Amino acid sequence: MRVLVIGGGAREHAICKAVCDSGGELYSVMKNLNPGIKRLAKDCFIHNETDAEKVLEYALKKKIELAIIGPEAPEEAGVTNVLEENGIKVASPSKEAAEIETSKEFMRNLMEKYKIKGSVKCRVFSDAEMAKEFIEMLDGEVAVKPIGLTGGKGVKVAGDHFNSIEEAVKYAKEVIEKKIGGHSKVLIEEKVVGEEFTLQAFCDGNAIYPMPAVQDHKRLLPGDKGPNTGGMGSYSHKSGILPFMTPDDYEEAATILQKIVEALKKEGRQYKGVIYGQFMLTASGVKVIEINARFGDPEAMNVLPLLKTNYLEICMAMVEGNLSNKKISFENKSTVCKYVVPEGYGIKPVAGKEIKVNEEKIRENGGLLFYASVNEENGKIYTTTSRSLAIVGIAEEIEEAEKICEKCLQFVEGEHIFIRHDIGKKELIEKRIKHMEMLRG
Ligand code: AMP
Ligand code: GLY
């Protein structure tokens, strides 16, 4: 099957690998040349991924039978819609269905309208004075969020990014005035406290098939300090749940995703593709932090390498609406993924520095390598301002997977790189378990 994958990050490298492992003939549209995808693909078109007309032109020329969209921006730009209108199957949501991610206002309203459990106190404002009243009512214990897409970097949370009502109001005003995320509006949510986890599910418009849960690390620095990033690394456990969760928590999150998919259908926005829930496990159950209309990055790299079922068959089942008839399974293994990012990433990244990657040594030591945003010139790899590459270790237990990941990271050398080494380490995981025990009392 001729398959087009749109996007050029590490998540898309993992998707492309799954496509090739499933027997697909790979084509790619990406804005930067990902060296990993380049090697896997029959052909690459280096172009803006949100240019629906050009993507269509390329897909028609290459006689693409199935398209898969990695990032949210092309979905928002209607790439799915345009491809489908021209007879190409797409295993990703339409622009309308993807609004579950591209508008946090739409997501919260949908949850309220259909009385879906797991939402938080929240309101949208276009007037900073009114936002101030709501922030005061919540004692400043809030998250201040742009409505639209900001690449995971626009949200600020009390205690993490600001420490007073005044600062919260100031940022809310800035979001409105500067139209951060594309709208003159701001979403104020009550701050919820707990442990975050990601649940991704395949979805065919009706049924969902949830994958192993993953914990991402959004904060830049060890110990969960510093600004929010696109994600610095992640882990999963062979049980399918995380060490601080119970099977009931997992079920609760899966039920929320199922209800959201049903609500979207009732709204005439049938959802197909991977749906992603970012949840906070709190003392009073599972709360929704955000819903994404795609695989997570890095979370895709934790689950896709474990997939035992043919990925393209799952994609076709999502497109054709018969996921419930499909037997899907994952290897019962634990995974740890760590990103290598340019020094200063998230603040003032240093681009254009060489990274030496010994691919053979990484392979020999059992690690998986996924390239992200790098430039390759004359066989050498250089950083850009975004995340550079990720290494994944896989083993029975998280501890061993983490060791494999660290071992392989030794074969990525550069004077101007940064890695959050604490991800997947015993100390951090124990801290999370204790935190949850304390909250649950
Ligand atoms: P988002 O882009 O909505 O996922 O937000 C980025 C990060 O901010 C999340 O991963 C959480 O760590 C944090 N966050 C977002 N909303 C809330 C909330 N209501 N309460 C506490 N933390 C939040
Ligand atoms: N890992 C966060 C995201 O993909 O949005």
Side-chain angles (χ1 to χ4, degrees):
M1 186 190 286
R2 299 161 77 90
V3 183
L4 176 64
V5 174
I6 297 158
R11 163 185 51 206
E12 287 76 23
H13 187 182
I15 292 173
C16 288
K17 183 172 183 297
V19 166
C20 294
D21 290 347
S22 304
E25 184 173 290
L26 179 70
Y27 294 82
S28 149
V29 178
M30 49 188 166
K31 57 178 183 282
N32 62 300
L33 186 61
N34 179 314
I37 297 177
K38 185 180 91 179
R39 264 178 261 157
L40 293 173
K42 182 110 200 255
D43 188 63
C44 299
F45 175 35
I46 304 302
H47 193 76
N48 181 359
E49 298 147 14
T50 58
D51 185 348
E53 287 307 320
K54 285 280 184 228
V55 174
L56 172 66
E57 206 176 282
Y58 179 74
L60 290 173
K61 195 169 95 193
K62 296 293 173 191
K63 300 194 172 55
I64 295 304
E65 293 158 275
L66 173 74
I68 302 166
I69 303 178
E72 58 280 15
E75 292 175 351
E76 186 181 43
V79 171
T80 305
N81 303 50
V82 171
L83 292 176
E84 281 182 341
E85 280 155 22
N86 287 275
I88 297 166
K89 294 188 170 86
V90 189
S92 299
S94 67
K95 178 185 165 87
E96 293 74 23
E99 223 178 313
I100 198 70
E101 166 167 8
T102 61
S103 168
K104 290 187 198 284
E105 182 178 20
F106 172 74
M107 184 272 279
R108 290 294 180 200
N109 285 343
L110 188 87
M111 289 193 73
E112 198 184 315
K113 181 171 170 189
Y114 290 89
K115 302 200 167 38
I116 300 170
K117 251 182 74 181
S119 203
V120 297
K121 275 188 217 133
C122 61
R123 274 181 66 186
V124 172
F125 299 93
S126 45
D127 179 303
E129 273 310 303
M130 288 173 78
K132 181 168 178 239
E133 273 177 39
F134 191 65
I135 292 169
E136 282 171 349
M137 210 180 91
L138 293 171
D139 255 344
E141 288 300 306
V142 294
V144 181
K145 302 185 171 188
I147 303 291
L149 299 179
T150 56
K153 295 156 196 127
V155 172
K156 292 199 175 170
V157 182
D160 292 343
H161 310 101
F162 56 82
N163 285 302
S164 67
I165 290 179
E166 291 68 40
E167 284 172 88
V169 174
K170 186 167 166 242
Y171 184 57
K173 199 161 177 246
E174 191 183 329
V175 171
I176 295 172
E177 284 173 0
K178 291 191 183 154
K179 290 195 182 179
I180 299 176
H183 305 264
S184 285
K185 287 184 189 176
V186 66
L187 170 65
I188 309 292
E189 292 180 357
E190 86 176 288
K191 176 185 173 179
V192 287
V193 179
E195 278 301 324
E196 271 183 275
F197 67 95
T198 300
L199 186 62
Q200 305 168 99
F202 297 114
C203 176
D204 70 355
N206 295 301
I208 66 162
Y209 186 94
M211 305 182 218
V214 183
Q215 188 174 45
D216 181 20
H217 296 71
K218 285 228 164 119
R219 305 290 291 277
L220 177 68
L221 304 172
D224 296 323
K225 304 267 187 310
N228 274 331
T229 67
M232 296 297 293
S234 47
Y235 68 88
S236 68
H237 186 250
K238 65 176 179 188
S239 61
I241 63 171
L242 296 162
F244 54 83
M245 286 170 79
T246 67
D248 284 349
D249 301 325
Y250 180 94
E251 282 309 318
E252 205 173 320
T255 304
I256 291 171
L257 287 181
Q258 177 67 48
K259 293 245 154 76
I260 287 176
V261 167
E262 286 164 17
L264 282 167
K265 189 179 176 192
K266 287 191 186 128
E267 292 289 308
R269 301 172 187 241
Q270 199 165 25
Y271 191 103
K272 58 170 179 23
V274 169
I275 188 161
Y276 166 115
Q278 181 76 36
F279 296 97
M280 186 82 82
L281 183 55
T282 73
S284 52
V286 169
K287 304 286 177 195
V288 173
I289 295 295
E290 66 171 349
I291 302 292
N292 291 334
R294 50 176 173 79
F295 268 119
D297 187 351
E299 293 96 324
M301 293 180 275
N302 298 92
V303 295
L304 278 172
L306 301 181
L307 188 59
K308 288 205 278 190
T309 316
N310 184 296
Y311 174 54
L312 290 176
E313 284 178 18
I314 298 175
C315 288
M316 289 311 287
M318 289 195 284
V319 171
E320 287 163 357
N322 53 17
L323 200 59
S324 334
N325 302 328
K326 188 100 204 108
K327 175 136 181 28
I328 296 174
S329 60
F330 289 87
E331 267 184 85
N332 297 325
K333 292 255 172 84
S334 302
T335 66
V336 173
C337 170
K338 300 191 199 196
Y339 253 116
V340 174
V341 303
E343 184 182 289
Y345 172 66
I347 305 163
K348 206 164 169 260
V350 185
K353 300 289 178 191
E354 192 187 346
I355 318 182
K356 288 203 173 79
V357 186
N358 191 333
E359 295 188 10
E360 208 175 300
K361 281 281 181 196
I362 293 170
R363 233 186 341 261
E364 272 172 30
N365 284 278
L368 296 176
L369 162 67
F370 297 107
Y371 282 105
S373 191
V374 290
N375 287 318
E376 192 179 21
E377 278 164 42
N378 304 322
K380 290 184 176 174
I381 303 285
Y382 296 92
T383 58
T384 69
T385 56
S386 298
R387 293 175 290 185
S388 311
L389 59 89
I391 299 283
V392 180
I394 302 179
E396 279 295 306
E397 292 300 333
I398 296 171
E399 229 178 303
E400 300 158 59
E402 197 275 335
K403 291 205 175 97
I404 294 172
C405 181
E406 279 296 332
K407 176 97 214 232
C408 293
L409 281 167
Q410 289 174 9
F411 305 111
V412 180
E413 289 174 77
E415 279 171 31
H416 300 276
I417 56 175
F418 176 74
I419 300 158
R420 245 192 88 170
H421 288 289
D422 64 335
I423 293 169
K425 285 230 159 77
K426 208 168 167 198
E427 299 74 48
L428 192 57
I429 290 176
E430 273 170 4
K431 197 175 123 192
R432 307 229 187 273
I433 297 171
K434 285 214 179 79
H435 183 212
M436 220 43 245
E437 280 172 359
M438 190 196 79
L439 288 174
R440 282 179 148 147

